[in-house]
Amino acid sequence: MRKTIAALLLGIVMVEPDYALAYIDPSAGGLLVQILLGGIAGIGVLVKLYWGKLTKLFRKEKNDQS
Amino acid sequence: MTSPEFIPDFVRASGSYRDPEGFVFFQGDRVFRALTKDGLASYHDFRQSPLSQWLEKDNWVTRTWETDSAFVGAIAAKFPEITGVIEQSRIPFISYPYEWSFDMLKDAALHTMDLLLHSSRHGFTLKDATAYNIQFPGCRPIFIDILSMAKYVPGNPWLGYTQFCQQFLFPLALTAHKGIHFQPFLRSYFEGIPPDVMKSLLGWWGWRKPGMLKHVFLQSFFQTGFQADNPELKSSFQSLKFSLDHVNTLVGAVKKVVAHLHQSSSQRHWVEYSENRSYTAPEIEAKQQFVDKHLEAIRPLSVWDLGCNTGEFSLIARKYSDLVIAADADPESVNHLYRHCRQNDISGILPLVLDVTNPSPGLGWNNLARQGFLDRGKPTIVLMLALLHHLCFTHNVPFAYVFNLLLAVEARYVVIEFVPKSDPMVKKLLANREDVYPWYNLPAFETEAFKHFSPVDRLELPTGKRVLYCLKRHDC
């Protein structure tokens, strides 16, 4: 549900799970740079990714405390 | 029709194992690509496009043609997944990016980018962006991996972006911005310079250089922040749809960064330093005539000019040979020669950055993916002019080792110059050190040389008492 809402908000569509022709590793860093340079939709994805990292960090701390 | 007996001569290229759509193999001097069903379909797409004729006509890509069905059948008998075989025109001498000078790598980078941009107008793209897909059959780059040309799949990003950065952009930027020669880095990092290593090499202030913030620092930051197998990352990528316009914008932006990179001129030494300073004008002329005369008589298939400096004698050699490998350890001298050849459209010379005392070894998987320099050809003649004294006094190489090298590469002839200790250049080399070279004298040199080679001719240059020899291997 969260994924669908995020996709709708960002105005982008779901595509094939893996990039066709990609027999070399496009690398996470390289793809993220392309996402960022791709414009506003890409920036949205980056924000989402880093938000995910941040919330994961807090969740981990909470679990550690409990 | 080709005989099915071809199979015994079949040699698969050791470095051709990455692309699942086919592989390169050799039969004698001929070069082929075996294609799977998908590879053949992709090749047919390319051939049917007007792009292929245009690219071949203007020498952007190497020429390819399909072989007959009997030949394909012979290959398919051993490799059932193969449904097609194409032959491609042979490159006279394969060279690798860690042997190229700055402008060679830059021209190769721009060639790759222009090819990408032109191809995209016809709906094609390159599946990868490796520098090893470029060769220099003349003084211009050519793209050799036709299997890399494929129809662009909507939604794909620029798949070769990171590879291009690691193998083209970062090495060029390293030399341009830091004055560090890229060749040893490309030799060590088989996949090219990684973003985090490049970031460290550039230093913190490096982000101010054009394009470096995005392509080096940001890429490195993202690379270390996310593991490639992160499921969150994968699901986010899947939700993005790239377009050809997006890819072209990025390619154009990177091309602009590459085009503005220039070799720093702070490290010039050999280009300005010329051995010719210790010669008189008549001596230079006599030396040139000696080399010219013997090359004309021998008409060699291939010449290796080792320690070529800026290629004065390579330029003479190309008059009599279609393949002159002009090798020098100094990247700036080699770049100087490349630029001269490129500007004057001189073909037949392949300038390479190569240290004779440490030539490129076999690299990659099983040390066979990239051949060592000495395994890539057999020169008819080797020129070693004003080199021997540097080998002996700077690197302590004994005479016997020099001739062992010549025997190992199966050189039939050698033109070699002996420079005596009385020569001003040698005095300079020994100025601040003890002379531990009692063995370095003309009789000892001749004794070693004549063990394996017979003298064809000998010329003593009067001023410094330098001696030129043209030698022929005993068993030739």
Side-chain angles (χ1 to χ4, degrees):
Chain A
M1 184 65 184
R2 259 173 56 201
K3 196 183 285 175
T4 315
I5 292 168
L8 285 170
L9 280 173
L10 296 166
I12 47 185
V13 286
M14 305 295 280
V15 290
E16 296 84 359
D18 290 305
Y19 294 118
L21 305 175
Y23 78 89
I24 55 162
D25 176 16
S27 98
L31 282 172
L32 284 165
V33 170
Q34 293 192 63
I35 287 172
L36 185 71
L37 302 179
I40 195 73
I43 292 166
V45 169
L46 277 176
V47 169
K48 183 176 162 257
L49 278 169
Y50 276 95
W51 180 253
K53 267 174 100 78
L54 200 70
T55 50
K56 197 191 255 178
L57 197 73
F58 280 117
R59 273 203 303 273
K60 199 179 165 211
E61 274 184 13
K62 204 174 166 185
N63 289 342
D64 287 348
Q65 281 167 12
S66 62
Chain B
M1 186 179 283
T2 314
S3 161
E5 286 171 13
F6 125 87
I7 285 291
D9 298 332
F10 168 98
V11 177
R12 183 171 174 161
S14 311
S16 182
Y17 56 85
R18 295 187 188 215
D19 193 337
E21 292 187 350
F23 61 83
V24 177
F25 68 89
F26 308 102
Q27 185 197 23
D29 277 349
R30 298 168 72 187
V31 187
F32 300 90
R33 277 178 196 272
L35 309 178
T36 62
K37 194 179 158 202
D38 288 345
L40 189 62
S42 182
Y43 179 70
H44 284 156
D45 283 343
F46 173 65
R47 293 303 315 185
Q48 281 154 17
S49 158
L51 174 72
S52 70
Q53 286 151 28
W54 183 77
L55 290 177
E56 276 192 4
K57 188 168 73 68
D58 285 2
N59 285 324
W60 280 81
V61 297
T62 192
R63 224 162 54 76
T64 54
W65 56 96
E66 277 192 74
T67 61
D68 62 40
S69 55
F71 196 85
V72 179
I75 295 292
K78 195 172 177 183
F79 301 94
E81 73 278 17
I82 296 305
T83 57
V85 175
I86 56 172
E87 184 168 2
Q88 67 181 61
S89 50
R90 189 176 159 271
I91 302 295
F93 193 94
I94 295 291
S95 61
Y96 300 126
Y98 43 83
E99 296 166 340
W100 299 343
S101 71
F102 182 89
D103 281 312
M104 289 173 87
L105 187 65
K106 183 175 170 178
D107 284 352
L110 294 174
H111 190 81
T112 303
M113 312 230 78
D114 286 336
L115 192 61
L116 252 170
L117 292 170
H118 284 306
S119 304
S120 74
R121 290 182 202 145
H122 297 264
F124 281 83
T125 190
L126 297 177
K127 290 190 289 186
D128 52 13
T130 167
Y132 295 90
N133 281 348
I134 300 285
Q135 286 297 323
F136 286 86
C139 55
R140 286 172 192 280
I142 194 167
F143 188 83
I144 59 161
D145 184 8
I146 219 69
L147 207 50
S148 182
M149 302 286 297
K151 274 197 169 162
Y152 175 75
V153 178
N156 270 4
W158 177 16
L159 295 169
Y161 168 69
T162 299
Q163 199 173 38
F164 184 90
C165 288
Q166 296 192 169
Q167 298 192 10
F168 287 112
L169 178 63
F170 296 170
L172 289 169
L174 182 64
T175 303
H177 297 320
K178 301 300 285 183
I180 301 171
H181 293 303
F182 63 78
Q183 291 83 2
F185 289 88
L186 282 187
R187 201 203 254 199
S188 301
Y189 290 106
F190 193 60
E191 306 290 346
I193 305 172
D196 56 332
V197 173
M198 184 60 191
K199 190 184 84 174
S200 302
L201 289 166
L202 271 180
W204 275 109
W205 289 107
W207 65 268
R208 293 180 305 167
K209 302 285 184 188
M212 295 299 105
L213 179 63
K214 279 182 283 189
H215 305 300
V216 179
F217 286 78
L218 212 53
Q219 197 173 171
S220 169
F221 175 72
F222 287 144
Q223 192 76 38
T224 45
F226 289 95
Q227 296 300 317
D229 57 355
N230 184 330
E232 211 172 343
L233 192 69
K234 197 175 178 187
S235 69
S236 297
F237 287 160
Q238 285 163 13
S239 67
L240 278 173
K241 190 164 183 150
F242 292 90
S243 70
L244 204 48
D245 279 347
H246 169 261
V247 171
N248 282 347
T249 306
L250 181 60
V251 171
V254 178
K255 186 186 164 191
K256 205 171 159 189
V257 175
V258 170
H260 284 90
L261 293 172
H262 298 285
Q263 184 161 27
S264 148
S265 56
S266 60
Q267 323 124 26
R268 307 173 76 84
H269 59 289
W270 282 100
V271 175
E272 286 168 3
Y273 157 77
S274 168
E275 284 266 345
N276 285 343
R277 283 184 197 168
S278 55
Y279 293 96
T280 60
E283 275 186 325
I284 295 170
E285 207 181 320
K287 189 172 167 180
Q288 286 171 343
Q289 279 173 1
F290 184 87
V291 174
D292 194 298
K293 181 177 78 178
H294 290 292
L295 286 168
E296 188 181 13
I298 296 164
R299 297 266 167 184
L301 279 175
S302 64
V303 180
W304 287 8
D305 183 3
L306 302 180
C308 69
N309 198 3
T310 51
E312 179 188 357
F313 293 97
S314 299
L315 291 164
I316 293 174
R318 71 165 285 277
K319 291 198 286 178
Y320 308 109
S321 178
D322 291 333
L323 179 60
V324 180
I325 308 300
D328 200 282
D330 179 55
E332 305 237 3
S333 301
V334 175
N335 204 44
H336 188 274
L337 177 60
Y338 172 71
R339 285 170 70 98
H340 176 78
C341 291
R342 177 93 205 226
Q343 280 160 10
N344 298 287
D345 215 13
I346 296 169
S347 60
I349 297 181
L350 176 62
L352 293 180
V353 178
L354 190 98
D355 183 350
V356 184
T357 64
N358 184 23
S360 315
L363 292 175
W365 185 257
N366 210 12
N367 279 13
L368 290 172
R370 310 279 174 247
Q371 274 191 303
F373 174 78
L374 302 179
D375 298 324
R376 267 175 269 159
K378 299 186 194 317
T380 313
I381 184 166
V382 173
L383 306 182
M384 295 181 95
L385 299 161
L387 175 70
L388 186 70
H389 56 301
H390 289 287
L391 297 180
C392 295
F393 296 122
T394 311
H395 301 282
N396 289 23
V397 178
F399 291 142
Y401 278 41
V402 174
F403 289 100
N404 284 343
L405 176 76
L406 294 167
L407 292 175
V409 298
E410 298 179 26
R412 295 165 68 87
Y413 294 89
V414 56
V415 171
I416 191 164
E417 182 176 8
F418 180 85
V419 182
K421 282 185 182 173
S422 57
D423 187 272
M425 282 312 303
V426 176
K427 281 183 177 165
K428 214 169 174 178
L429 286 173
L430 290 173
N432 296 314
R433 47 193 300 210
E434 193 186 342
D435 181 357
V436 292
Y437 310 95
W439 49 269
Y440 189 92
N441 55 65
L442 195 61
F445 171 77
E446 287 193 345
T447 303
E448 201 56 52
F450 299 161
K451 274 185 195 168
H452 314 285
F453 291 83
S454 315
V456 175
D457 196 5
R458 182 183 191 277
L459 176 73
E460 200 168 304
L461 301 175
T463 315
K465 293 224 168 85
R466 294 177 172 219
V467 189
L468 289 167
Y469 292 88
C470 178
L471 307 171
K472 185 181 182 184
R473 211 174 71 214
H474 284 329
D475 56 345
C476 290

